[in-house]
Amino acid sequence: MSGAGRSTAARALEDLDWFVVDNLPPALLPTMIDLAARTRGAVPQIAAVVDVRSMAFTEDLLSTVEDLRSRGIGARVVFLEASDETLVRRFESVRRPHPLQGDGRLTDGISRERELLRSIRGEADLVVDTSQLNVHQLKAKMVGFFGKARETRLRANVVSFGYKHGLPVDADLVLDCRFLPNPHWVPELRPLTGQDEPVRDYVLAQRGAKEMLDSYTEVLRLLVSGYQREGKHYMTLAVGCTGGKHRSVAMSEQLAARLRDEGVEVNIIHRDLGRE
């Protein structure tokens, strides 16, 4: 999405010694790969920034990516997005119109772009919502995703959140923990969080908690195996409760530990901890 941080992401990849090409029409991607091959290893990694400035890409980007993969090239699509409110604020701060705005409002351009990018977002290997990220945090995310050459190992973000603050828009999977009794209503547990042992023990002792963890672990085991077969390297699992302080935090920590046991590299994010 325009305004979602593509320039920051591109600079982060440049710092990691990727060869970055901005505004490259997808039809030229195979040509770039062929040119890189002639350098005899001098250009091992290429990142192409593709957006609405290249209007034809909405039709041929995905087919180009599939063509590259059929040639044995590890092509991946990273999709950057942000909420409408965030994008409006960013465009207004730099006093620039949206590239698809035309004679309409800024929100009209954003809406048109979302519709154009819908199919590409759905097929992306990694979706990053930058609404709550500053430039340093986005750069750190890109370094975390691409800074190490462990391509065969699945990496997962496990994000705890509170439903009252909204769902994480970049989640691949969402687990709802609101069926468990809320520690908020236990006076001695209310000031604590799911990272504290008393809260963790309380949550895990509730009817259905262990069964949920066991059952969902089996589901995750199947998904991890399938993702690895299909070459998917990243997964975001969101675990929610009402406020994002007790149940979701405790359950996400447990699921993260189980994912690690399956050989998955896990990063835990407690999105709404401290917002109560």
Side-chain angles (χ1 to χ4, degrees), residues 104-120:
R105 299 177 303 166
L106 180 57
T107 52
D108 295 331
I110 294 172
S111 178
R112 292 190 189 106
E113 186 177 27
R114 283 201 193 281
E115 186 60 33
L116 283 172
L117 299 178
R118 187 180 304 277
S119 61
I120 295 168

Side-chain angles (χ1 to χ4, degrees), residues 164-183:
K164 70 178 183 180
H165 301 298
L167 277 77
V169 298
D170 53 350
D172 296 302
L173 306 164
V174 178
L175 176 62
D176 188 350
C177 295
R178 290 176 295 180
F179 73 97
L180 297 170
N182 193 346

Side-chain angles (χ1 to χ4, degrees), residues 99-273:
L100 297 183
Q101 182 175 342
D103 295 328
R105 299 177 303 166
L106 180 57
T107 52
D108 295 331
I110 294 172
S111 178
R112 292 190 189 106
E113 186 177 27
R114 283 201 193 281
E115 186 60 33
L116 283 172
L117 299 178
R118 187 180 304 277
S119 61
I120 295 168
R121 185 195 187 282
E123 295 293 330
D125 299 284
L126 174 66
V127 177
V128 179
D129 176 23
T130 68
S131 302
Q132 304 296 325
L133 303 179
N134 60 37
V135 293
H136 306 294
Q137 292 168 329
L138 175 54
K139 182 175 180 179
K141 268 187 174 289
M142 297 302 293
V143 171
F145 290 133
F146 298 106
K148 299 177 182 178
R150 285 174 286 180
E151 300 301 330
T152 60
R153 190 176 184 187
L154 182 68
R155 305 179 199 177
N157 280 330
V158 177
V159 183
S160 70
F161 72 96
Y163 277 91
K164 70 178 183 180
H165 301 298
L167 277 77
V169 298
D170 53 350
D172 296 302
L173 306 164
V174 178
L175 176 62
D176 188 350
C177 295
R178 290 176 295 180
F179 73 97
L180 297 170
N182 193 346
H184 175 81
W185 303 113
V186 180
E188 61 269 24
L189 298 180
R190 181 177 300 180
L192 305 178
T193 76
Q195 293 178 310
D196 295 310
E197 185 176 354
V199 173
R200 183 187 68 231
D201 291 346
Y202 175 86
V203 171
L204 296 180
Q206 299 306 311
R207 181 179 179 182
K210 184 178 184 301
E211 290 81 357
M212 167 65 83
L213 287 171
D214 291 342
S215 298
Y216 210 75
T217 299
E218 288 302 313
V219 173
L220 289 174
R221 186 173 290 123
L222 291 172
L223 287 172
V224 167
S225 178
Y227 283 162
Q228 290 176 329
R229 285 196 306 271
E230 292 300 312
K232 183 176 175 67
H233 301 289
Y234 313 102
M235 174 181 72
T236 298
L237 167 61
V239 184
C241 63
T242 303
K245 179 180 180 180
H246 296 114
R247 294 165 291 180
S248 63
V249 173
M251 294 290 275
S252 63
E253 293 278 354
Q254 294 297 309
L255 286 168
R258 294 182 180 217
L259 280 170
R260 290 192 182 100
D261 290 341
E262 297 297 319
V264 178
E265 181 180 339
V266 180
N267 178 41
I268 302 180
I269 303 168
H270 297 305
R271 191 193 72 176
D272 297 326
L273 206 57

